[in-house]
């Protein structure tokens, strides 16, 4: 028995699935739950699912979102029907939640969430959990505005909500409310330490490219040429007929400043969620600036596993034998079944989970983007695995 229980269900009926996942989580804790996390895939009627969970755990503070899949102890399920509930009864940890309905302005949403969370900041505040909609939020604008209202050294962790690659709607859960492309967030406080790590498995292809025309997060030209024309030379004519397939397998690598590159990797990876064939431009989840250097990149299986090992080795060095009482795992949907076999995917997830002690509660989901610091600086990533260990 522990102070945190994680339950999973893959039943298709939303009421039965919610009840099963919640009951399995509650079976692992001795005391009444103080707060909970919920991650689920988008195949469920969301209201019925959350009502069934709340019926079991009670109207406690909760945060979470939909994902392309869920990640639990020994579980990495990307089916249309999978739900994970983490019931938290451990007195070392508490949540103060905040939310925002459908985001039309990323800065306005972040301002509202940041001010709401700031009211609860104490010396025991450890990090902020962020689950914004994964299709429309401009993540760096959101993060910059949020940080303006929170302590400067407060880590921001989490993932952008996902769904089953339809690119239509993602859902956010805030105290049993359900938002459509909104924000769910929580200030996590308590008597514990936090260790984080983030890693990607992408390699550059071709030559360095320079951004020659950009407006905010809309990228028009690379080296004086339309960006989709440049991409077509790398990925072929599928860029015109099946951009979704192209975006899953290829992405941009943005050059990092040397101080961050030394602590991480020369490149930070950027997903390309939208194309605009009418002017051959693309939209990105972050803003870019003219003159920045970028590369086309692709996922590399060997680098995925090597980076995962280095990430875990670094966390073990930081914990120095301590056993985490909760692990949070936010892994990009682009590192799941779209690029890996089921066996390889499970092996990659297991490489993060093994060796932390018997039964360490593990909760997370496959995202449309990840939040995790690099060298103490909060960052938004794509195609990464972000791990947070509470110990």
């Amino acid at each position: 028995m522990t102070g945190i229980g994680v339950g999973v269900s893959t039943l298709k009926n939303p009421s039965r699935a919610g009840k099963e996942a919640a009951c399995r989580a509650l079976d692992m804790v001795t005391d009444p739950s103080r707060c909970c996390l919920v991650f689920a895939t988008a195949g469920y009627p969301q209201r019925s699912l959350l009502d069934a969970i709340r019926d079991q755990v009670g109207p406690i503070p909760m945060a979470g979102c939909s994902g392309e899949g869920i990640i639990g102890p020994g579980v990495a399920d990307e089916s249309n029907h999978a739900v994970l509930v983490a019931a938290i009864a451990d007195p070392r940890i508490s949540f103060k939640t905040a939310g925002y309905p459908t985001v039309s302005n990323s800065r306005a949403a972040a301002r509202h969430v940041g001010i709401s969370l700031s009211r609860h900041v104490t010396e025991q505040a450890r990090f902020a959990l962020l689950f914004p909609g994964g299709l429309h939020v401009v993540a760096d604008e959101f993060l910059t505005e949020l940080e303006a209202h929170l302590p400067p050294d407060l880590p921001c962790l989490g993932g952008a909500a996902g769904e089953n690659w339809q690119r239509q709607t993602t859902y956010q859960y805030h105290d049993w409310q359900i938002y459509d492309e909104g924000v769910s967030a929580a200030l996590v406080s308590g008597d514990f330490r936090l260790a984080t790590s983030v890693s990607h498995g992408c390699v550059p292809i071709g030559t360095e490219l320079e951004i020659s025309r950009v407006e905010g997060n809309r990228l028009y030209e690379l080296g004086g040429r339309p960006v989709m024309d440049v991409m077509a030379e790398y990925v072929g004519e599928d860029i015109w007929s099946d951009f979704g397939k192209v975006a899953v397998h290829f992405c941009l690598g943005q050059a990092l400043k040397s101080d961050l590159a030394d602590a991480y990797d020369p490149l930070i990876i950027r997903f390309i969620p939208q194309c605009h064939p009418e002017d051959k431009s693309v939209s990105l989840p972050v803003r870019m600036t003219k003159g920045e250097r970028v590369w086309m990149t692709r996922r590399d299986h060997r680098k995925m596993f090597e980076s995962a090992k280095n990430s875990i080795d670094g966390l073990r060095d930081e914990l120095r034998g301590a056993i985490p009482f909760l692990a949070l795992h936010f892994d990009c949907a682009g590192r799941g079944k779209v690029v890996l076999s089921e066996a390889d995917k499970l092996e990659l997830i297991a490489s993060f989970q093994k060796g932390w002690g018997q039964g360490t509660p593990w909760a997370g989901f496959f995202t449309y983007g990840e939040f995790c610091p690099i060298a103490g600086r909060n960052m938004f990533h794509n195609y990464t695995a972000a791990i947070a260990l509470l110990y």
Side-chain angles (χ1 to χ4, degrees):
M1 304 293 286
T2 70
I4 300 175
V6 176
V8 168
S9 178
T10 56
L11 296 175
K12 292 187 177 180
N13 180 285
S15 297
R16 292 176 59 195
K19 180 178 180 179
E20 181 175 70
C23 288
R24 287 178 172 175
L26 293 172
D27 283 345
M28 300 178 188
V29 299
T30 52
D31 298 321
S33 299
R34 300 156 56 91
C35 51
C36 73
L37 291 168
V38 178
F39 304 118
T41 52
Y44 290 114
Q46 301 285 297
R47 183 73 273 162
S48 298
L49 181 72
L50 262 62
D51 285 349
I53 297 170
R54 184 180 56 189
D55 286 346
Q56 302 303 314
V57 303
I60 57 178
M62 66 87 73
C65 63
S66 64
E68 187 269 344
I70 61 166
I71 300 172
V75 175
D77 194 304
E78 297 174 87
S79 65
N80 279 339
H81 299 91
V83 55
L84 179 147
V85 176
I88 300 172
D90 196 309
R92 288 173 292 185
I93 183 171
S94 66
F95 282 10
K96 295 294 184 180
T97 62
Y100 193 86
T102 304
V103 173
S104 58
N105 182 299
S106 296
R107 288 190 179 275
R111 188 176 309 117
H112 176 89
V113 170
I115 291 172
S116 297
L117 295 181
S118 69
R119 300 187 182 109
H120 305 290
V121 171
T122 70
E123 62 181 13
Q124 285 207 319
R126 295 292 179 261
F127 63 96
L129 270 178
L130 307 176
F131 306 121
L135 298 176
H136 303 304
V137 71
V138 182
D140 60 333
E141 287 186 359
F142 179 87
L143 195 54
T144 298
E145 182 64 32
L146 184 80
E147 288 180 310
H149 304 280
L150 296 174
D153 57 348
L154 188 75
C156 291
L157 300 162
E163 32 84 283
N164 53 359
W165 290 112
Q166 297 303 303
R167 303 189 188 193
Q168 294 178 352
T169 302
T170 68
Y171 303 100
Q172 299 71 46
Y173 315 142
H174 166 228
D175 288 352
W176 311 106
Q177 299 178 78
I178 300 172
Y179 299 141
D180 174 344
E181 290 302 309
V183 180
S184 170
L187 179 70
V188 184
S189 303
D191 183 19
F192 60 86
R193 293 183 178 181
L194 176 71
T196 66
S197 182
V198 61
S199 60
H200 74 72
C202 296
V203 296
I205 55 177
T207 59
E208 175 184 300
L209 302 165
E210 183 175 312
I211 295 175
S212 51
R213 183 187 170 204
V214 63
E215 295 177 10
N217 69 322
R218 184 90 168 248
L219 181 58
Y220 289 91
E221 293 181 0
L222 294 171
R225 299 174 56 207
V227 62
M228 290 185 69
D229 283 347
V230 175
M231 290 179 65
E233 295 179 355
Y234 290 85
V235 303
E237 293 304 307
D238 279 351
I239 193 170
W240 308 108
S241 60
D242 193 352
F243 187 81
K245 176 183 176 182
V246 167
V248 165
H249 293 280
F250 295 89
C251 42
L252 286 180
Q254 181 182 13
L256 275 173
K257 295 180 179 179
S258 59
D259 57 332
L260 293 178
D262 291 343
Y264 180 59
D265 187 272
L267 301 178
I268 189 168
I269 306 304
R270 301 304 186 196
F271 174 52
I272 308 173
Q274 289 181 296
C275 71
H276 308 281
E278 66 276 9
D279 58 12
K280 299 183 179 181
S281 68
V282 298
S283 293
L284 301 170
V286 298
R287 296 164 300 172
M288 294 284 198
T289 58
K290 184 177 179 179
E292 279 193 271
R293 297 173 297 136
V294 296
W295 284 257
M296 287 299 300
T297 72
R298 62 167 177 81
R299 238 84 71 251
D300 181 86
H301 289 197
R302 177 179 295 180
K303 185 171 181 178
M304 282 189 194
F305 281 88
E306 290 176 350
S307 297
K309 181 182 183 302
N310 293 337
S311 179
I312 294 304
D313 287 347
L315 287 168
R316 287 204 176 97
D317 289 344
E318 186 170 351
L319 266 64
R320 299 182 181 180
I323 302 299
F325 66 87
L326 175 61
L328 300 174
H329 186 160
F330 309 111
D331 215 312
C332 181
R335 293 162 50 95
K337 65 184 180 182
V338 295
V339 296
L340 295 173
S341 69
E342 185 69 10
D344 284 346
K345 179 187 72 175
L346 292 174
E347 182 183 352
L348 182 61
I349 296 297
S351 70
F352 288 104
Q353 296 185 352
K354 63 186 179 183
W356 294 111
Q358 186 73 19
T360 297
W362 202 278
F365 69 102
F366 285 99
T367 78
Y368 277 3
E370 305 77 53
F371 295 93
C372 192
I374 298 175
R377 179 179 171 185
N378 288 319
M379 303 285 289
F380 178 75
H381 310 260
N382 293 115
Y383 296 110
T384 64
I387 307 293
L389 301 180
L390 283 61
Y391 69 102

